[in-house]
Amino acid sequence: MNKEDYIQHGLNEKEAEKLLEGLGREPTITEMGIYSVMWSEHCSYKSSRHWLKNLHTQGKQVIQGPGENAGVVDIGDGLAAVFKMESHNHPSFIEPYQGAATGVGGIMRDIFTMGARPIALLNSLRFGDINHKKTKYLLSGAVSGIGGYGNCVGVPTVAGEVGFDKSYNGNILVNAMCVGIANINKIFYSAASGIDNPVVYVGAKTGRDGIHGATMASGEFDKDSEKNRPTVQVGDPFTEKLLLEACLELMKEDAIIAIQDMGAAGLTSSAVEMASKGSVGIELCLDELPKREENLSAYEMMLSESQERMLMVLKPNKKKLAEEIFLKWGVDFSVIGKITDTKKIKVIYKDKVEANIPICSLADDAPMYVRPIKTRKVDKNLTPQKTNISFKEIILKILNSPNICSKKWVWEQYDRTIMANTIDKPGGNAGIVRIEGTDKALSLSCDVTPRYCHANAYEGAKQAVAECWRNIVSTGAKPIAITNCLNFGNPEKPIIMGDFVSTINGIRDASITLDFPVVSGNVSLYNETDSVAIKPTPTIGGLGIIEDLKNLSTIHTQKDGDIIILIGGNGKHLGRSIFREVIFNAEDGDAPSVNLNNELNNGNLILNLIKNKFVNSVHDISDGGLIVTIAEMIISSNIGAKITFQNNLINSTSDHEKLYEEMFGEDQSRYVITVSSDKVQDTINQCTKYDVSANIIGNVQKNNLEIDGLVTISNNELIDSYESVLPSMMNIK
Amino acid sequence: MDVSLIIFPGANCDKDTSLAIKHITGKHPKHVWYKETTLPKSDLVILPGGFSHGDYLRSGAIAAKAPIIKDLIKKSADGIYVLGICNGFQILTECGLLQGSLIKNNSLKFVSRNVRLRVIRNDTIFTSNFKENEDVNMPIAHHDGNFYIDDNSLKKIEEEGRVAFRYIENNAKHSPYNPNGSLNDIAGVYNDNFKILGLMPHPERAIDKITGGDHGAKIFESMFHSLSQ
């Protein structure tokens, strides 16, 4: 092997030396491939590992934190929720349909690998500027791909978010989250054990797709990136469905010792992870591998990222039973190796030893970097701006903007009602899914506001956790735990690494105060094209529990005559707001900061109000501020509202700034609730007890949004502005 | 009432349908694997929704050649009742038990939403608990639900009153009320003796108010009442 070979395999000079030291000799080409993927950023987390240790991962609700296929939390009644989020950014930019589809397939396998039946999918998507020439193609392809996979397997997609920003022009983000339910005593893990126990391959046959996918996902893009198309895997949701049913059927038997799906870096990564976690060795004979074609090399088989495959260690006496189950479902089953005591991975093909590498050299001893960091300077100033357009135009323009408008065009392509347990649809506070056979439900949300993270990575990360928590609280659910997907640019640049470290600190601080620990996650770096990085995008996926379905709340159940109360104080903060983005095309100022103690207290108040049935509907205030929150409630219920601001505000027409702040300020930890008039006093009393500001700002009325003395907009005008954006962009008649 | 559910690989509404039947009748239906050659004693056979054989080749086309379908065709000639939901409807048109075919939605996209339907007649075993021309809501979720048939056959279906459900106007803006381009807004059809029904909407997902409505329950209640007598 010469220097060129190492470079081609993404290994620098120091890493080449480390490889030779770990192996004790020159590698074979297959070994070189194995090192290449195991030491890639994607598999080894070499730039992030050092910092991820700082996340808050503990709590009495946590059964399994980060490090397994997915996180596991206790949800009572002997049940566990198993969940995780993962990125599939690089492949989705190169081939949006397959990239996004296999992202969904991969995250579902992580969940059922642990013995849980998937019951809900979520996704967080970021595309470039809505007018960029590739945006329509990428949006259309990624959405079809997500639907194509999830719909076919038969798991409802219940929530998500879609954002547009020019920083994603060259790197879109596809983050998919899956949630499953398992019996608390029937969780399956990946640590292999039992010398000579059979190693079994199940699922789709191995082909040449996705070779070096993990390495591709560990580098920047340039103008030639589309040449990487062959490294994108091709999904087959039908096989996934069969594999899912076969695995869950086998899991009812006492047969599986360890199980691991083949995701990034395929067979290599799954075999090494199982052996590493169990402190054992593993021997694979590739002659027995189910193959799509005969002339695959050992190198290709070890690096293929063909989808819908699993590796298991079985109890020897259950081999026959397992084989019968997989045969019934029409899924390949093959014993391809055994567990050894060598603590090495040995790969044999056609009687030749193709690889024989100490496991620790690939896993625990993989490179780890503490890269230089530089903290971004926060500029708190807002450039003075003036506009002559009317309040009505401002409101309609905001509702008509890509980051606020209805995403119905997207979520109507996802099956949301399969499994017959979906209670609240996308467009509300969070997805709500009943737990089969109980009166409980999970409340699920994924959130991040990249324009905040770009201004101030620490506050932005706190805000992402807090918003997720707030969305879950708004449904009446007790927040339990989070997963995350940390999407950043090139970590070798100190400013990006600085953002990353601040993000970790922000997530940690928020999750400690809110008792909202991180139980699983994923890091996606090098989201850059021609040295232009995405905005820092730490997506937070959260899970909460509604203990009794009778006590849930939505954004669309207000009643004519209800009193509207603003919880948490008036808006003031316009830095990085949607208002300034849409009306002034301005990206300036600091991100709004989150006072975590207030967040916790305000949220506990809301949960108390919902539990006492004081409120008819609840919506948290986020992007666009108070008026957008109220408009969203009107749009989803087709019931209007009359809002009254203090008169002195309306009358001081010379300076609208104060009104803009109240209407569109994005101050955190706030909610809008509607309360029937006979419950107002009780509600105010509770607010006083919690020492939280509660302002009566108006009442629910039938047909329009009326802001006293300022503007009247009919429900229909609001709905038209909100709903028409994506259909007209995507040319729907 | 003895109910059997035929399970094809890739079916994914079988559990929901089973639970709906259990919910209404108190009894789980029998599950019959597609490789079987004989149906157990049944008053009603249901083909649930999903993606049988991955929808490869054409939705329902491969399932229509399954061993169990031969027996289904034979038993339906003997008078057994058959209900096909979504992919089940597609299979029934592919195997010839129902006329017409379900081609790609005119949007060329998968569509999942709640639709408004009119129950055209209430004198069949599937609809006896509805009022005549009752309007109901049910979810749909499909990529190939665009009912298509030649002009003469369509005329005949209409004349014989074999349209079971039609998509009708609702208040939703920015999306057409007919979600897939089906001829004459057809959402479900009967065969010529009204013993076989195929429909694209999912009644099994509409049996509980908390999950968005319970109008679908009436289909199961109708069948249960009619066939238990």
Side-chain angles (χ1 to χ4, degrees), chain A residues 152 236 238 241 412-419 434 720, chain B residues 11-12 16 19 51 54 56 109-110 112-113 173-174 205 208:
Chain A
C152 180
D236 175 7
F238 173 57
K241 169 72 174 164
E412 276 206 340
Q413 295 184 53
Y414 307 146
D415 192 337
R416 304 181 305 281
T417 50
I418 192 159
M419 299 183 104
R434 178 174 58 191
D720 281 343
Chain B
N12 60 23
D16 307 353
L19 284 172
F51 288 68
Y56 295 140
K109 303 259 182 230
F110 190 96
S112 168
R113 71 167 74 125
K173 297 186 128 215
H174 302 283
R205 301 185 194 178
D208 197 339

PDB file of all heavy atoms in Angstrom, chain A residues 152 236 238 241 412-419 434 720, chain B residues 11-12 16 19 51 54 56 109-110 112-113 173-174 205 208:
ATOM      1  N   CYS A 152     -45.158   2.097   2.833  1.00  0.00           N
ATOM      2  CA  CYS A 152     -45.159   0.692   2.434  1.00  0.00           C
ATOM      3  C   CYS A 152     -44.944  -0.212   3.645  1.00  0.00           C
ATOM      4  O   CYS A 152     -45.624  -1.226   3.796  1.00  0.00           O
ATOM      5  CB  CYS A 152     -44.080   0.465   1.378  1.00  0.00           C
ATOM      6  SG  CYS A 152     -43.990  -1.227   0.798  1.00  0.00           S
ATOM      7  N   ASP A 236     -35.663  -1.122  -0.391  1.00  0.00           N
ATOM      8  CA  ASP A 236     -36.751  -2.036  -0.759  1.00  0.00           C
ATOM      9  C   ASP A 236     -37.650  -2.203   0.470  1.00  0.00           C
ATOM     10  O   ASP A 236     -37.439  -3.094   1.290  1.00  0.00           O
ATOM     11  CB  ASP A 236     -36.166  -3.384  -1.203  1.00  0.00           C
ATOM     12  CG  ASP A 236     -37.248  -4.414  -1.475  1.00  0.00           C
ATOM     13  OD1 ASP A 236     -38.458  -4.058  -1.453  1.00  0.00           O
ATOM     14  OD2 ASP A 236     -36.893  -5.587  -1.681  1.00  0.00           O
ATOM     15  N   PHE A 238     -40.515  -3.335   0.905  1.00  0.00           N
ATOM     16  CA  PHE A 238     -41.228  -4.609   0.986  1.00  0.00           C
ATOM     17  C   PHE A 238     -40.402  -5.621   1.771  1.00  0.00           C
ATOM     18  O   PHE A 238     -40.892  -6.278   2.688  1.00  0.00           O
ATOM     19  CB  PHE A 238     -41.547  -5.105  -0.427  1.00  0.00           C
ATOM     20  CG  PHE A 238     -42.137  -6.475  -0.485  1.00  0.00           C
ATOM     21  CD1 PHE A 238     -43.305  -6.775   0.204  1.00  0.00           C
ATOM     22  CD2 PHE A 238     -41.532  -7.478  -1.239  1.00  0.00           C
ATOM     23  CE1 PHE A 238     -43.864  -8.047   0.141  1.00  0.00           C
ATOM     24  CE2 PHE A 238     -42.087  -8.751  -1.307  1.00  0.00           C
ATOM     25  CZ  PHE A 238     -43.245  -9.036  -0.613  1.00  0.00           C
ATOM     26  N   LYS A 241     -40.378  -4.770   5.417  1.00  0.00           N
ATOM     27  CA  LYS A 241     -41.607  -5.188   6.108  1.00  0.00           C
ATOM     28  C   LYS A 241     -41.530  -6.681   6.473  1.00  0.00           C
ATOM     29  O   LYS A 241     -41.889  -7.079   7.587  1.00  0.00           O
ATOM     30  CB  LYS A 241     -42.807  -4.895   5.200  1.00  0.00           C
ATOM     31  CG  LYS A 241     -44.123  -5.506   5.639  1.00  0.00           C
ATOM     32  CD  LYS A 241     -44.720  -4.836   6.873  1.00  0.00           C
ATOM     33  CE  LYS A 241     -46.105  -5.393   7.168  1.00  0.00           C
ATOM     34  NZ  LYS A 241     -46.540  -5.050   8.519  1.00  0.00           N
ATOM     35  N   GLU A 412     -49.306  15.348   3.343  1.00  0.00           N
ATOM     36  CA  GLU A 412     -50.371  14.540   2.724  1.00  0.00           C
ATOM     37  C   GLU A 412     -49.800  13.370   1.926  1.00  0.00           C
ATOM     38  O   GLU A 412     -50.543  12.486   1.507  1.00  0.00           O
ATOM     39  CB  GLU A 412     -51.257  15.407   1.820  1.00  0.00           C
ATOM     40  CG  GLU A 412     -52.334  16.117   2.608  1.00  0.00           C
ATOM     41  CD  GLU A 412     -53.566  16.446   1.789  1.00  0.00           C
ATOM     42  OE1 GLU A 412     -53.494  16.479   0.539  1.00  0.00           O
ATOM     43  OE2 GLU A 412     -54.613  16.667   2.400  1.00  0.00           O
ATOM     44  N   GLN A 413     -48.498  13.405   1.697  1.00  0.00           N
ATOM     45  CA  GLN A 413     -47.886  12.265   0.998  1.00  0.00           C
ATOM     46  C   GLN A 413     -47.427  11.172   1.964  1.00  0.00           C
ATOM     47  O   GLN A 413     -46.878  10.160   1.538  1.00  0.00           O
ATOM     48  CB  GLN A 413     -46.703  12.739   0.154  1.00  0.00           C
ATOM     49  CG  GLN A 413     -47.130  13.669  -0.979  1.00  0.00           C
ATOM     50  CD  GLN A 413     -45.965  14.065  -1.862  1.00  0.00           C
ATOM     51  OE1 GLN A 413     -45.243  13.209  -2.358  1.00  0.00           O
ATOM     52  NE2 GLN A 413     -45.778  15.359  -2.046  1.00  0.00           N
ATOM     53  N   TYR A 414     -47.597  11.428   3.239  1.00  0.00           N
ATOM     54  CA  TYR A 414     -47.247  10.420   4.246  1.00  0.00           C
ATOM     55  C   TYR A 414     -48.518   9.809   4.820  1.00  0.00           C
ATOM     56  O   TYR A 414     -49.433  10.533   5.216  1.00  0.00           O
ATOM     57  CB  TYR A 414     -46.479  11.057   5.420  1.00  0.00           C
ATOM     58  CG  TYR A 414     -45.275  11.880   5.063  1.00  0.00           C
ATOM     59  CD1 TYR A 414     -44.938  13.005   5.817  1.00  0.00           C
ATOM     60  CD2 TYR A 414     -44.431  11.537   3.999  1.00  0.00           C
ATOM     61  CE1 TYR A 414     -43.811  13.769   5.529  1.00  0.00           C
ATOM     62  CE2 TYR A 414     -43.314  12.296   3.702  1.00  0.00           C
ATOM     63  CZ  TYR A 414     -43.011  13.410   4.466  1.00  0.00           C
ATOM     64  OH  TYR A 414     -41.901  14.166   4.195  1.00  0.00           O
ATOM     65  N   ASP A 415     -48.541   8.483   4.904  1.00  0.00           N
ATOM     66  CA  ASP A 415     -49.673   7.829   5.563  1.00  0.00           C
ATOM     67  C   ASP A 415     -49.600   8.160   7.055  1.00  0.00           C
ATOM     68  O   ASP A 415     -48.641   7.804   7.733  1.00  0.00           O
ATOM     69  CB  ASP A 415     -49.601   6.317   5.339  1.00  0.00           C
ATOM     70  CG  ASP A 415     -50.900   5.628   5.744  1.00  0.00           C
ATOM     71  OD1 ASP A 415     -51.643   6.194   6.561  1.00  0.00           O
ATOM     72  OD2 ASP A 415     -51.159   4.526   5.232  1.00  0.00           O
ATOM     73  N   ARG A 416     -50.605   8.876   7.531  1.00  0.00           N
ATOM     74  CA  ARG A 416     -50.579   9.324   8.931  1.00  0.00           C
ATOM     75  C   ARG A 416     -51.547   8.534   9.803  1.00  0.00           C
ATOM     76  O   ARG A 416     -51.515   8.631  11.022  1.00  0.00           O
ATOM     77  CB  ARG A 416     -50.931  10.816   9.010  1.00  0.00           C
ATOM     78  CG  ARG A 416     -50.040  11.682   8.158  1.00  0.00           C
ATOM     79  CD  ARG A 416     -50.404  13.146   8.284  1.00  0.00           C
ATOM     80  NE  ARG A 416     -51.802  13.400   7.997  1.00  0.00           N
ATOM     81  CZ  ARG A 416     -52.337  13.481   6.779  1.00  0.00           C
ATOM     82  NH1 ARG A 416     -51.575  13.311   5.728  1.00  0.00           N
ATOM     83  NH2 ARG A 416     -53.608  13.722   6.614  1.00  0.00           N
ATOM     84  N   THR A 417     -52.445   7.777   9.173  1.00  0.00           N
ATOM     85  CA  THR A 417     -53.513   7.155   9.954  1.00  0.00           C
ATOM     86  C   THR A 417     -53.371   5.646  10.092  1.00  0.00           C
ATOM     87  O   THR A 417     -54.132   5.032  10.829  1.00  0.00           O
ATOM     88  CB  THR A 417     -54.881   7.476   9.324  1.00  0.00           C
ATOM     89  OG1 THR A 417     -54.828   7.182   7.924  1.00  0.00           O
ATOM     90  CG2 THR A 417     -55.246   8.926   9.523  1.00  0.00           C
ATOM     91  N   ILE A 418     -52.419   5.045   9.385  1.00  0.00           N
ATOM     92  CA  ILE A 418     -52.253   3.598   9.514  1.00  0.00           C
ATOM     93  C   ILE A 418     -51.905   3.245  10.960  1.00  0.00           C
ATOM     94  O   ILE A 418     -51.313   4.063  11.666  1.00  0.00           O
ATOM     95  CB  ILE A 418     -51.185   3.063   8.524  1.00  0.00           C
ATOM     96  CG1 ILE A 418     -51.247   1.550   8.483  1.00  0.00           C
ATOM     97  CG2 ILE A 418     -49.790   3.574   8.877  1.00  0.00           C
ATOM     98  CD1 ILE A 418     -50.645   0.951   7.250  1.00  0.00           C
ATOM     99  N   MET A 419     -52.323   2.082  11.376  1.00  0.00           N
ATOM    100  CA  MET A 419     -52.233   1.566  12.748  1.00  0.00           C
ATOM    101  C   MET A 419     -53.388   2.115  13.595  1.00  0.00           C
ATOM    102  O   MET A 419     -53.569   1.706  14.740  1.00  0.00           O
ATOM    103  CB  MET A 419     -50.873   1.837  13.410  1.00  0.00           C
ATOM    104  CG  MET A 419     -49.734   1.183  12.644  1.00  0.00           C
ATOM    105  SD  MET A 419     -48.114   1.382  13.422  1.00  0.00           S
ATOM    106  CE  MET A 419     -47.904  -0.259  14.127  1.00  0.00           C
ATOM    107  N   ARG A 434     -51.747   7.116  20.123  1.00  0.00           N
ATOM    108  CA  ARG A 434     -52.213   6.278  21.232  1.00  0.00           C
ATOM    109  C   ARG A 434     -51.349   5.032  21.332  1.00  0.00           C
ATOM    110  O   ARG A 434     -50.920   4.474  20.324  1.00  0.00           O
ATOM    111  CB  ARG A 434     -53.672   5.879  20.965  1.00  0.00           C
ATOM    112  CG  ARG A 434     -54.268   4.962  22.031  1.00  0.00           C
ATOM    113  CD  ARG A 434     -55.742   4.726  21.804  1.00  0.00           C
ATOM    114  NE  ARG A 434     -55.977   4.149  20.477  1.00  0.00           N
ATOM    115  CZ  ARG A 434     -57.179   4.031  19.921  1.00  0.00           C
ATOM    116  NH1 ARG A 434     -58.247   4.444  20.561  1.00  0.00           N
ATOM    117  NH2 ARG A 434     -57.312   3.505  18.718  1.00  0.00           N
ATOM    118  N   ASP A 720     -55.995  31.087   2.798  1.00  0.00           N
ATOM    119  CA  ASP A 720     -55.454  31.159   1.440  1.00  0.00           C
ATOM    120  C   ASP A 720     -53.960  31.472   1.451  1.00  0.00           C
ATOM    121  O   ASP A 720     -53.181  30.839   0.746  1.00  0.00           O
ATOM    122  CB  ASP A 720     -56.187  32.228   0.621  1.00  0.00           C
ATOM    123  CG  ASP A 720     -57.533  31.706   0.127  1.00  0.00           C
ATOM    124  OD1 ASP A 720     -57.718  30.474   0.148  1.00  0.00           O
ATOM    125  OD2 ASP A 720     -58.376  32.534  -0.263  1.00  0.00           O
TER     126      ASP A 720
ATOM    127  N   ALA B  11     -48.873  -6.937   3.276  1.00  0.00           N
ATOM    128  CA  ALA B  11     -50.109  -6.351   3.812  1.00  0.00           C
ATOM    129  C   ALA B  11     -49.729  -5.600   5.084  1.00  0.00           C
ATOM    130  O   ALA B  11     -48.881  -6.065   5.844  1.00  0.00           O
ATOM    131  CB  ALA B  11     -51.116  -7.444   4.139  1.00  0.00           C
ATOM    132  N   ASN B  12     -50.308  -4.439   5.312  1.00  0.00           N
ATOM    133  CA  ASN B  12     -49.966  -3.733   6.548  1.00  0.00           C
ATOM    134  C   ASN B  12     -51.189  -3.163   7.275  1.00  0.00           C
ATOM    135  O   ASN B  12     -51.043  -2.449   8.249  1.00  0.00           O
ATOM    136  CB  ASN B  12     -48.889  -2.669   6.308  1.00  0.00           C
ATOM    137  CG  ASN B  12     -49.317  -1.617   5.306  1.00  0.00           C
ATOM    138  OD1 ASN B  12     -50.508  -1.398   5.097  1.00  0.00           O
ATOM    139  ND2 ASN B  12     -48.358  -0.973   4.681  1.00  0.00           N
ATOM    140  N   ASP B  16     -54.915  -3.710  11.944  1.00  0.00           N
ATOM    141  CA  ASP B  16     -55.951  -2.699  12.195  1.00  0.00           C
ATOM    142  C   ASP B  16     -57.334  -3.284  11.885  1.00  0.00           C
ATOM    143  O   ASP B  16     -58.303  -3.056  12.619  1.00  0.00           O
ATOM    144  CB  ASP B  16     -55.755  -1.461  11.295  1.00  0.00           C
ATOM    145  CG  ASP B  16     -54.351  -0.881  11.403  1.00  0.00           C
ATOM    146  OD1 ASP B  16     -53.591  -1.344  12.258  1.00  0.00           O
ATOM    147  OD2 ASP B  16     -54.035   0.027  10.617  1.00  0.00           O
ATOM    148  N   LEU B  19     -58.411  -5.751  14.526  1.00  0.00           N
ATOM    149  CA  LEU B  19     -58.825  -5.076  15.755  1.00  0.00           C
ATOM    150  C   LEU B  19     -60.191  -4.423  15.590  1.00  0.00           C
ATOM    151  O   LEU B  19     -61.001  -4.421  16.518  1.00  0.00           O
ATOM    152  CB  LEU B  19     -57.786  -4.017  16.161  1.00  0.00           C
ATOM    153  CG  LEU B  19     -56.516  -4.578  16.795  1.00  0.00           C
ATOM    154  CD1 LEU B  19     -55.476  -3.475  16.985  1.00  0.00           C
ATOM    155  CD2 LEU B  19     -56.825  -5.223  18.154  1.00  0.00           C
ATOM    156  N   PHE B  51     -49.337  -3.171   0.977  1.00  0.00           N
ATOM    157  CA  PHE B  51     -48.542  -3.198  -0.258  1.00  0.00           C
ATOM    158  C   PHE B  51     -48.190  -4.659  -0.529  1.00  0.00           C
ATOM    159  O   PHE B  51     -47.044  -5.063  -0.375  1.00  0.00           O
ATOM    160  CB  PHE B  51     -47.261  -2.374  -0.106  1.00  0.00           C
ATOM    161  CG  PHE B  51     -47.468  -0.892  -0.070  1.00  0.00           C
ATOM    162  CD1 PHE B  51     -48.105  -0.283   1.000  1.00  0.00           C
ATOM    163  CD2 PHE B  51     -47.020  -0.086  -1.100  1.00  0.00           C
ATOM    164  CE1 PHE B  51     -48.295   1.098   1.041  1.00  0.00           C
ATOM    165  CE2 PHE B  51     -47.198   1.283  -1.064  1.00  0.00           C
ATOM    166  CZ  PHE B  51     -47.833   1.873   0.004  1.00  0.00           C
ATOM    167  N   GLY B  54     -45.090  -5.755  -2.214  1.00  0.00           N
ATOM    168  CA  GLY B  54     -44.408  -4.488  -2.441  1.00  0.00           C
ATOM    169  C   GLY B  54     -45.019  -3.637  -3.539  1.00  0.00           C
ATOM    170  O   GLY B  54     -44.406  -2.661  -3.978  1.00  0.00           O
ATOM    171  N   TYR B  56     -45.041  -4.388  -6.369  1.00  0.00           N
ATOM    172  CA  TYR B  56     -44.178  -4.562  -7.534  1.00  0.00           C
ATOM    173  C   TYR B  56     -45.010  -5.098  -8.689  1.00  0.00           C
ATOM    174  O   TYR B  56     -46.034  -5.738  -8.502  1.00  0.00           O
ATOM    175  CB  TYR B  56     -42.994  -5.485  -7.207  1.00  0.00           C
ATOM    176  CG  TYR B  56     -42.078  -4.860  -6.173  1.00  0.00           C
ATOM    177  CD1 TYR B  56     -41.499  -5.605  -5.155  1.00  0.00           C
ATOM    178  CD2 TYR B  56     -41.815  -3.482  -6.203  1.00  0.00           C
ATOM    179  CE1 TYR B  56     -40.678  -5.003  -4.202  1.00  0.00           C
ATOM    180  CE2 TYR B  56     -40.994  -2.884  -5.253  1.00  0.00           C
ATOM    181  CZ  TYR B  56     -40.436  -3.643  -4.254  1.00  0.00           C
ATOM    182  OH  TYR B  56     -39.636  -3.047  -3.315  1.00  0.00           O
ATOM    183  N   LYS B 109     -49.009  11.299  -6.974  1.00  0.00           N
ATOM    184  CA  LYS B 109     -48.414  11.265  -5.629  1.00  0.00           C
ATOM    185  C   LYS B 109     -49.282  10.397  -4.724  1.00  0.00           C
ATOM    186  O   LYS B 109     -50.493  10.301  -4.919  1.00  0.00           O
ATOM    187  CB  LYS B 109     -48.403  12.666  -5.004  1.00  0.00           C
ATOM    188  CG  LYS B 109     -47.683  13.713  -5.819  1.00  0.00           C
ATOM    189  CD  LYS B 109     -46.306  13.952  -5.257  1.00  0.00           C
ATOM    190  CE  LYS B 109     -45.557  15.027  -6.002  1.00  0.00           C
ATOM    191  NZ  LYS B 109     -44.204  14.588  -6.381  1.00  0.00           N
ATOM    192  N   PHE B 110     -48.640   9.854  -3.695  1.00  0.00           N
ATOM    193  CA  PHE B 110     -49.377   9.196  -2.627  1.00  0.00           C
ATOM    194  C   PHE B 110     -50.231  10.261  -1.943  1.00  0.00           C
ATOM    195  O   PHE B 110     -49.793  11.393  -1.757  1.00  0.00           O
ATOM    196  CB  PHE B 110     -48.392   8.604  -1.625  1.00  0.00           C
ATOM    197  CG  PHE B 110     -49.022   7.699  -0.604  1.00  0.00           C
ATOM    198  CD1 PHE B 110     -49.030   6.324  -0.790  1.00  0.00           C
ATOM    199  CD2 PHE B 110     -49.594   8.222   0.556  1.00  0.00           C
ATOM    200  CE1 PHE B 110     -49.603   5.487   0.165  1.00  0.00           C
ATOM    201  CE2 PHE B 110     -50.174   7.393   1.501  1.00  0.00           C
ATOM    202  CZ  PHE B 110     -50.165   6.013   1.305  1.00  0.00           C
ATOM    203  N   SER B 112     -52.729  10.972   1.498  1.00  0.00           N
ATOM    204  CA  SER B 112     -53.279  10.524   2.768  1.00  0.00           C
ATOM    205  C   SER B 112     -54.071  11.681   3.341  1.00  0.00           C
ATOM    206  O   SER B 112     -53.517  12.727   3.655  1.00  0.00           O
ATOM    207  CB  SER B 112     -52.115  10.159   3.696  1.00  0.00           C
ATOM    208  OG  SER B 112     -52.555   9.990   5.016  1.00  0.00           O
ATOM    209  N   ARG B 113     -55.381  11.523   3.413  1.00  0.00           N
ATOM    210  CA  ARG B 113     -56.204  12.590   3.997  1.00  0.00           C
ATOM    211  C   ARG B 113     -57.563  12.027   4.384  1.00  0.00           C
ATOM    212  O   ARG B 113     -57.885  10.881   4.071  1.00  0.00           O
ATOM    213  CB  ARG B 113     -56.344  13.767   3.030  1.00  0.00           C
ATOM    214  CG  ARG B 113     -57.214  13.516   1.814  1.00  0.00           C
ATOM    215  CD  ARG B 113     -57.533  14.841   1.097  1.00  0.00           C
ATOM    216  NE  ARG B 113     -56.389  15.356   0.374  1.00  0.00           N
ATOM    217  CZ  ARG B 113     -56.413  15.663  -0.944  1.00  0.00           C
ATOM    218  NH1 ARG B 113     -57.496  15.515  -1.649  1.00  0.00           N
ATOM    219  NH2 ARG B 113     -55.332  16.109  -1.528  1.00  0.00           N
ATOM    220  N   LYS B 173     -59.920  23.515   1.365  1.00  0.00           N
ATOM    221  CA  LYS B 173     -59.466  24.383   0.287  1.00  0.00           C
ATOM    222  C   LYS B 173     -58.118  23.869  -0.205  1.00  0.00           C
ATOM    223  O   LYS B 173     -57.440  23.128   0.464  1.00  0.00           O
ATOM    224  CB  LYS B 173     -59.299  25.810   0.818  1.00  0.00           C
ATOM    225  CG  LYS B 173     -60.606  26.402   1.287  1.00  0.00           C
ATOM    226  CD  LYS B 173     -60.403  27.850   1.668  1.00  0.00           C
ATOM    227  CE  LYS B 173     -61.420  28.728   0.970  1.00  0.00           C
ATOM    228  NZ  LYS B 173     -60.861  30.026   0.605  1.00  0.00           N
ATOM    229  N   HIS B 174     -57.762  24.284  -1.356  1.00  0.00           N
ATOM    230  CA  HIS B 174     -56.454  23.993  -1.925  1.00  0.00           C
ATOM    231  C   HIS B 174     -56.199  22.510  -2.131  1.00  0.00           C
ATOM    232  O   HIS B 174     -55.060  22.071  -2.189  1.00  0.00           O
ATOM    233  CB  HIS B 174     -55.342  24.624  -1.085  1.00  0.00           C
ATOM    234  CG  HIS B 174     -55.499  26.094  -0.953  1.00  0.00           C
ATOM    235  ND1 HIS B 174     -55.176  26.969  -1.951  1.00  0.00           N
ATOM    236  CD2 HIS B 174     -56.023  26.843   0.047  1.00  0.00           C
ATOM    237  CE1 HIS B 174     -55.451  28.194  -1.567  1.00  0.00           C
ATOM    238  NE2 HIS B 174     -55.980  28.153  -0.361  1.00  0.00           N
ATOM    239  N   ARG B 205     -59.815   2.350  10.028  1.00  0.00           N
ATOM    240  CA  ARG B 205     -59.118   3.436  10.727  1.00  0.00           C
ATOM    241  C   ARG B 205     -60.110   4.481  11.228  1.00  0.00           C
ATOM    242  O   ARG B 205     -59.699   5.542  11.675  1.00  0.00           O
ATOM    243  CB  ARG B 205     -58.129   4.124   9.788  1.00  0.00           C
ATOM    244  CG  ARG B 205     -57.083   3.200   9.220  1.00  0.00           C
ATOM    245  CD  ARG B 205     -56.085   3.997   8.393  1.00  0.00           C
ATOM    246  NE  ARG B 205     -55.271   3.116   7.571  1.00  0.00           N
ATOM    247  CZ  ARG B 205     -54.356   3.531   6.722  1.00  0.00           C
ATOM    248  NH1 ARG B 205     -54.131   4.825   6.575  1.00  0.00           N
ATOM    249  NH2 ARG B 205     -53.655   2.668   5.999  1.00  0.00           N
ATOM    250  N   ASP B 208     -63.188   5.066  15.908  1.00  0.00           N
ATOM    251  CA  ASP B 208     -63.037   5.655  17.239  1.00  0.00           C
ATOM    252  C   ASP B 208     -62.944   7.169  17.098  1.00  0.00           C
ATOM    253  O   ASP B 208     -62.117   7.671  16.348  1.00  0.00           O
ATOM    254  CB  ASP B 208     -61.742   5.104  17.861  1.00  0.00           C
ATOM    255  CG  ASP B 208     -61.700   5.311  19.359  1.00  0.00           C
ATOM    256  OD1 ASP B 208     -62.433   6.194  19.855  1.00  0.00           O
ATOM    257  OD2 ASP B 208     -60.931   4.600  20.023  1.00  0.00           O
TER     258      ASP B 208
END
